[in-house]
Amino acid sequence: MSAPLRIAIAGLGTVGVGTVRLLAEHAPTVAARCGRPIEIVAVSARDRLRNRGCDVSMATWYDDPVTMAREADADVVVELIGGSDGVARDTVLAAIGAGRHVVTANKALLAIHGVDLARAAEAQSVHLAYEAAVAGGIPIVKALREGLAGNQVRRVYGILNGTCNYILTAMGETGRDFEDVLGEAQHLGYAEADPSFDVDGIDTGHKLALLASVAFGRPVDFGAVYMEGIRRITAMDITFAEELGYRIKLLGVAEETEHGILQRVHPCMVSQGRPIAAVDGVFNAVVVEGDYVDRSMLEGRGAGAGPTASAVVADLMDLAAGRGAPTFGVPADRLVGSPAATIDTHVGAYYVRLMVVDRPGVFADIATALRDAQVSMESILQRGHDPGETVPVVMTFHRTVEAAAKRALERIARIDAVVEPPCMIRIEAF
Amino acid sequence: MSAPLRIAIAGLGTVGVGTVRLLAEHAPTVAARCGRPIEIVAVSARDRLRNRGCDVSMATWYDDPVTMAREADADVVVELIGGSDGVARDTVLAAIGAGRHVVTANKALLAIHGVDLARAAEAQSVHLAYEAAVAGGIPIVKALREGLAGNQVRRVYGILNGTCNYILTAMGETGRDFEDVLGEAQHLGYAEADPSFDVDGIDTGHKLALLASVAFGRPVDFGAVYMEGIRRITAMDITFAEELGYRIKLLGVAEETEHGILQRVHPCMVSQGRPIAAVDGVFNAVVVEGDYVDRSMLEGRGAGAGPTASAVVADLMDLAAGRGAPTFGVPADRLVGSPAATIDTHVGAYYVRLMVVDRPGVFADIATALRDAQVSMESILQRGHDPGETVPVVMTFHRTVEAAAKRALERIARIDAVVEPPCMIRIEAF
């Protein structure tokens, strides 16, 4: 058996500790499977004295991860600090600069600086691996980069944020509203104190940008990702969706369109019969549509110590076994900056819920607004009405271009009897 | 860019032709992704003159695949002939003997001769890759061998035969019986003229044996796989399953038990809410339960030219890029022949359907049989009864050991009023 792969771990939060534990517990099988042991030679974290319930006494302690990345006698630096800039980025750059491979779980860093880091890694002939950055329990980066690499991908989409999926699932099961369920999720540790990254779709956007880069061979293009979160989804919308035969999921979708690659993150209505509609709670799922494979879906836990550590260790085992691939599937210089489409060019069906004061003439006003915007209605649903009271009116629009749907909504919003901004949710045909 | 990877293809059926087409259509991206072109230098098939709708004029033709494997100027031989012995095996052995890598879609060959072939390949320092042998559209071999390799697998199970899943799905949707739907599947080309390999569970058994070997690090052990097919499932059972909250799926399950690794293939009742219950038609799915990743499911098309070619090409791209792994995850000599458990030790719940002549005393006889076998009944269901007529009686047994359930069924079968052999289907808790 060859010499050990020596690794240095920066960051000992839940994922770091999970990684240390996995490597200790499964040392013999890990070594058998990748042909050599993996040895932790250095660690760095904020508080040296904290009891983390795992043994890192065999490793040299560094107070500063950047110094560790530069100086430790390691083949690989594992970056588990997080954040798109600052110390995480400095650590990764220092590791690459010192000729060490990098394994990271940091989606924000890669979504924003991915191409530069890939280029830096290639210049030093080291690998930059990040399976743990996207849907930890699902080996999706490897699947796109290797397992399905023979395909021309037409679309890749998925549930990429467990917090949002947990909240939407709980809202559906209990009939409770967003704020209420969010509070519970925060209490249970499923959501951060500042939930914005999750519930506003930013985390999903980061992950989508990485998947889209590998799938379409383009430079990571987080700036082109359209993002909309789940804050405005109400229990009422979930009930109406159910009645119409849909489930509401926050999806990240990257697809080839006639206007270029469109990357979009927003709540979607998906048919109840589709496999992705059944992915509930903190689970993630990613669907790849390719020209030869047709449709392949991978599902698993998106976060947590165990699944993320599993992904980190898989990357380490690849490095130990000498397996590698360019960061985004092809060398950075061969990524092609094909055109990016904007959300206005999206074509699809729409669910629209209005809160309307029920009085004569309202429907005529709505109909006129739709006609003027050249949008055609597929169905309309009004439940219970008390003259003079505010009631929900739900419509679905036939497939139309987003710009037209938006025009229709603007006109509808101006109708006096429509008392709240309309709630619009895109309906997906897949 | 480095020199091309030169390949020789043995067998130009649907998968061979799909592979030739994919490599021609996607030559530039394939080369960009694996760092070098893949070039078909030789082909062999039964009929040289047949028009296959793909161009192989650049390749040297061989009438005999074994000669080709031995003599062609190729780095890799792609074996797409099929069959566990004869010319397929000779071709693979000749390729390995000549120091060439092998890519194959041949589950029967590997299920029976896998360890010997792995050993031969290792002796020659070549790789034996077979992603296409198990669920073509799902990169499951790679997922187990690399993406989830950090885990200790507790169980791996799945829908591994699209023909059976198509038949069971169609039976459920139309209420028609097995023979009827099988005939239609044969007519549509989803089932072979001799459907035995598919419907008797043998094909699922071959694939399960391969997955179990990689998952548990044991020598492939097809002889230890318990196999039961779907011929005896009736439309009535599917209706009862639906009522009880289940779907019937033919699953292959390999799991760690206190008696050793149990490999079993049989129709299963799975709860309607579980993701695998929603995998319909010709789709396959595999679930991996590991100690760190928890549960990860991969779904996709199991067969067909496109998905299988996608898998063959993924293996070729790995070889072109210099990525490899031992055939069954660890070197053949490190596979550990841990104990194999037999189906008699299986512990689970059971669905049992009897055809009973409705007359006084029958239920007392059944109750006595159960008591004598020490099996406890969870529920019983009898729909419509006409004294003296034959009616179905459906029972579910509480979790019990298979040997006891069998004893109960033997006793029940001896009751005069029970006019057909009982139909027993295992209920899965996952």
Side-chain angles (χ1 to χ4, degrees):
Chain A
M1 193 162 292
S2 324
L5 181 80
R6 292 156 306 161
I7 71 168
I9 301 180
L12 289 175
T14 52
V15 178
V17 170
T19 302
V20 172
R21 283 213 185 117
L22 197 169
L23 289 172
E25 261 180 56
H26 294 336
T29 49
V30 164
R33 286 179 183 166
C34 56
R36 55 201 278 217
I38 296 178
E39 195 180 309
I40 303 171
V41 298
V43 292
S44 174
R46 243 174 298 186
D47 179 0
R48 183 169 188 166
L49 298 174
R50 198 171 134 206
N51 178 6
R52 297 179 171 85
C54 71
D55 181 17
V56 289
S57 60
M58 68 302 207
T60 307
W61 180 274
Y62 286 83
D63 284 321
D64 176 29
V66 182
T67 307
M68 178 181 77
R70 208 181 297 122
E71 296 177 5
D73 184 26
D75 306 304
V76 187
V77 172
V78 181
E79 185 273 304
L80 301 171
I81 299 165
S84 62
D85 287 276
V87 68
R89 183 167 172 239
D90 294 343
T91 300
V92 169
L93 284 170
I96 292 172
R100 311 187 208 284
H101 303 292
V102 171
V103 170
T104 177
N106 192 332
K107 43 242 151 199
L109 173 69
L110 284 173
I112 291 168
H113 302 293
V115 179
D116 289 345
L117 293 174
R119 209 167 263 134
E122 282 164 27
Q124 293 278 3
S125 300
V126 296
H127 289 291
L128 172 54
Y130 56 96
E131 188 64 81
V134 186
I138 306 176
I140 181 64
V141 175
K142 181 175 276 282
L144 277 174
R145 210 160 56 172
E146 302 166 27
L148 304 172
N151 289 269
Q152 185 172 328
V153 174
R154 291 183 295 240
R155 179 153 56 195
V156 56
Y157 64 95
I159 295 170
L160 297 170
N161 183 279
T163 305
C164 287
N165 207 44
Y166 171 83
I167 292 174
L168 291 171
T169 304
M171 285 172 71
E173 282 169 358
T174 63
R176 284 151 64 205
D177 256 317
F178 173 78
E179 290 296 341
D180 192 14
V181 175
L182 171 62
E184 185 195 72
Q186 286 170 320
H187 184 74
L188 291 170
Y190 292 166
E192 306 283 332
D194 175 1
S196 174
F197 254 56
D198 291 323
V199 303
D200 294 329
I202 302 163
D203 177 73
T204 299
H206 285 149
K207 293 166 180 169
L208 182 68
L210 300 181
L211 295 182
S213 174
V214 180
F216 298 109
R218 305 171 76 238
V220 192
D221 193 5
F222 176 64
V225 181
Y226 172 79
M227 285 175 288
E228 208 183 283
I230 63 167
R231 288 186 199 263
R232 64 201 172 69
I233 306 292
T234 64
M236 211 192 311
D237 297 310
I238 291 181
T239 306
F240 281 123
E242 200 74 27
E243 263 180 64
L244 292 164
Y246 297 109
R247 289 271 153 74
I248 300 177
K249 296 289 179 191
L250 181 75
L251 297 187
V253 182
E255 59 196 345
E256 211 168 32
T257 75
E258 54 176 318
H259 302 283
I261 301 296
L262 175 58
Q263 301 176 78
R264 52 194 174 94
V265 174
H266 53 74
C268 294
M269 294 223 179
V270 288
S271 286
Q272 281 160 14
R274 307 301 293 172
I276 201 152
V279 177
D280 281 335
V282 296
F283 276 78
N284 283 193
V286 183
V287 177
V288 180
E289 292 176 5
D291 57 351
Y292 275 76
V293 79
D294 189 28
R295 175 169 66 76
S296 196
M297 178 169 115
L298 290 79
E299 187 195 335
R301 287 187 182 272
T308 314
S310 165
V312 167
V313 171
D315 278 344
L316 290 170
M317 291 173 76
D318 272 353
L319 291 171
R323 288 186 295 261
T327 309
F328 298 106
V330 296
D333 287 341
R334 303 206 54 169
L335 293 166
V336 179
S338 57
T342 62
I343 190 73
D344 280 342
T345 66
H346 170 64
V347 177
Y350 296 82
Y351 158 101
V352 174
R353 176 181 49 79
L354 312 175
M355 297 308 290
V356 171
V357 181
D358 193 8
R359 63 188 178 214
V362 175
F363 283 99
D365 291 345
I366 293 172
T368 306
L370 293 180
R371 188 200 57 202
D372 291 351
Q374 296 195 290
V375 167
S376 77
M377 193 160 63
E378 193 188 7
S379 66
I380 187 160
L381 191 73
Q382 185 186 337
R383 188 60 39 76
H385 60 120
D386 294 294
E389 292 285 291
T390 301
V391 293
V393 171
V394 166
M395 302 180 288
T396 57
F397 295 173
H398 272 296
R399 273 176 73 78
T400 183
V401 66
E402 174 111 355
K406 266 194 198 151
R407 269 198 311 273
L409 291 182
E410 279 159 18
R411 280 162 207 242
I412 288 172
R414 287 200 294 265
I415 299 171
D416 274 354
V418 174
V419 296
E420 282 180 17
C423 169
M424 179 273 272
I425 302 175
R426 294 168 192 85
I427 298 174
E428 298 300 330
F430 48 75
Chain B
M1 196 163 289
S2 325
L5 181 82
R6 293 156 306 162
I7 71 168
I9 300 180
L12 290 174
T14 52
V15 178
V17 170
T19 302
V20 172
R21 283 214 185 116
L22 197 169
L23 289 173
E25 262 180 56
H26 295 336
T29 48
V30 164
R33 285 177 184 167
C34 56
R36 55 200 281 216
I38 295 177
E39 195 181 308
I40 303 171
V41 298
V43 292
S44 174
R46 241 174 299 186
D47 179 0
R48 183 170 187 166
L49 298 173
R50 198 170 135 210
N51 178 8
R52 298 180 172 84
C54 70
D55 181 18
V56 288
S57 59
M58 67 302 206
T60 307
W61 180 274
Y62 286 82
D63 284 321
D64 175 28
V66 182
T67 307
M68 179 181 77
R70 207 180 300 119
E71 296 176 6
D73 184 25
D75 305 305
V76 187
V77 172
V78 181
E79 186 273 303
L80 302 171
I81 298 165
S84 63
D85 286 275
V87 67
R89 182 169 173 237
D90 294 343
T91 300
V92 169
L93 284 171
I96 292 172
R100 309 188 209 284
H101 303 293
V102 171
V103 170
T104 178
N106 192 333
K107 43 241 149 201
L109 173 69
L110 285 173
I112 292 167
H113 303 293
V115 178
D116 289 344
L117 293 174
R119 211 168 261 134
E122 281 164 27
Q124 293 279 3
S125 300
V126 296
H127 289 290
L128 172 55
Y130 55 97
E131 188 63 80
V134 186
I138 305 176
I140 181 63
V141 176
K142 182 175 275 282
L144 277 175
R145 210 161 55 172
E146 303 166 27
L148 304 173
N151 289 270
Q152 185 172 329
V153 174
R154 291 184 294 240
R155 178 154 56 195
V156 55
Y157 63 96
I159 296 170
L160 297 170
N161 183 279
T163 305
C164 287
N165 206 43
Y166 170 84
I167 292 174
L168 291 171
T169 304
M171 286 172 71
E173 283 169 355
T174 63
R176 284 150 65 205
D177 256 317
F178 172 78
E179 289 296 341
D180 192 13
V181 175
L182 171 63
E184 185 195 71
Q186 286 170 320
H187 183 74
L188 290 170
Y190 293 165
E192 306 283 332
D194 174 1
S196 173
F197 253 55
D198 290 325
V199 303
D200 293 329
I202 302 163
D203 177 73
T204 300
H206 285 149
K207 294 165 180 170
L208 182 68
L210 300 181
L211 295 182
S213 174
V214 180
F216 298 109
R218 304 171 76 237
V220 192
D221 193 5
F222 177 64
V225 180
Y226 172 80
M227 284 175 289
E228 206 183 284
I230 63 167
R231 288 185 199 263
R232 62 199 175 71
I233 305 293
T234 66
M236 210 191 314
D237 297 311
I238 291 182
T239 306
F240 280 123
E242 201 73 27
E243 264 180 63
L244 293 165
Y246 297 109
R247 290 271 154 71
I248 300 177
K249 296 289 179 192
L250 181 75
L251 298 186
V253 182
E255 59 196 345
E256 211 167 32
T257 74
E258 54 175 318
H259 303 283
I261 301 295
L262 175 58
Q263 301 175 80
R264 53 193 174 94
V265 174
H266 52 74
C268 295
M269 296 225 179
V270 288
S271 285
Q272 282 160 15
R274 306 301 293 172
I276 202 152
V279 177
D280 280 336
V282 296
F283 277 78
N284 282 194
V286 183
V287 177
V288 180
E289 292 176 4
D291 57 350
Y292 275 77
V293 80
D294 189 29
R295 174 169 66 76
S296 195
M297 177 170 116
L298 290 78
E299 186 195 335
R301 287 186 184 275
T308 314
S310 165
V312 167
V313 171
D315 278 345
L316 290 170
M317 291 173 76
D318 271 353
L319 292 171
R323 288 186 295 259
T327 308
F328 298 107
V330 296
D333 287 340
R334 303 207 53 170
L335 293 166
V336 179
S338 56
T342 62
I343 191 71
D344 280 341
T345 65
H346 170 64
V347 177
Y350 295 82
Y351 159 100
V352 174
R353 177 183 48 80
L354 311 175
M355 297 307 291
V356 171
V357 181
D358 193 7
R359 65 186 176 215
V362 174
F363 284 98
D365 291 345
I366 293 172
T368 305
L370 292 180
R371 188 201 57 202
D372 291 352
Q374 295 194 290
V375 166
S376 78
M377 193 161 62
E378 193 189 7
S379 66
I380 185 159
L381 191 72
Q382 184 186 338
R383 186 60 38 74
H385 60 121
D386 295 294
E389 293 284 291
T390 301
V391 292
V393 171
V394 166
M395 302 180 290
T396 57
F397 295 174
H398 273 296
R399 274 175 72 78
T400 183
V401 67
E402 174 110 356
K406 265 193 199 152
R407 269 199 310 274
L409 291 182
E410 279 160 18
R411 281 161 205 241
I412 288 172
R414 287 201 293 265
I415 299 172
D416 275 353
V418 173
V419 295
E420 283 180 17
C423 169
M424 179 272 273
I425 302 175
R426 293 168 192 85
I427 299 174
E428 297 300 330
F430 48 75

